Amino acid sequence: MLLVKARVERINRLLVGWSNYFYLGPVSAAYGIVDVHTRYRLRTWLHHKHKVRGRGTTRYSFTFLYDELAWSGSVRGRADFRGQTRESLPESRMRSSAHPV
């Protein structure tokens, strides 16, 4: 179970970084799609790893993923950007450009 939790932690970090980077504009529909896809892939990996029949939705339910594995999904970790545009972000939050305009 330690390997599974480590993998979930890594995926959580990647998704939080991705969602923070791409949070400019109307992206909530995309976050929902990414969340559904990553849950599906995690369940697929778990049921192949543990040789469980089916798609793994019963054994690896939504509650199991979020409570037991501390899965955060793709839509968390971006509250500090909520409602902000590129112009309102502090300079430290913006990517520095290699080619000044």
Side-chain angles (χ1 to χ4, degrees):
M1 189 59 114
L2 187 58
L3 172 66
V4 173
K5 287 191 178 189
R7 182 165 289 201
V8 168
E9 269 184 41
R10 182 171 176 259
I11 294 171
N12 281 340
R13 284 194 311 268
L14 289 169
L15 289 174
V16 167
W18 179 86
S19 64
N20 280 336
Y21 182 79
F22 288 106
Y23 185 63
L24 299 175
V27 294
S28 60
Y31 286 151
I33 292 168
V34 168
D35 194 38
V36 168
H37 179 73
T38 51
R39 261 197 328 262
Y40 170 76
R41 292 299 304 258
L42 180 61
R43 281 182 179 137
T44 302
W45 177 74
L46 284 168
H47 94 264
H48 281 297
K49 178 178 173 40
H50 297 290
K51 296 177 178 61
V52 176
R53 287 185 175 181
R55 293 184 302 172
T57 54
T58 302
R59 182 167 182 181
Y60 306 114
S61 66
F62 187 82
T63 306
F64 176 81
L65 294 178
Y66 283 85
D67 293 344
E68 295 293 320
L69 298 181
W71 175 257
S72 68
S74 63
V75 293
R76 295 188 187 184
R78 56 181 170 77
D80 54 339
F81 293 130
R82 195 175 312 271
Q84 295 186 16
T85 61
R86 181 178 281 289
E87 290 75 30
S88 67
L89 290 175
E91 195 64 35
S92 64
R93 290 290 194 179
M94 295 175 61
R95 290 180 60 185
S96 60
S97 174
H99 306 288
V101 179

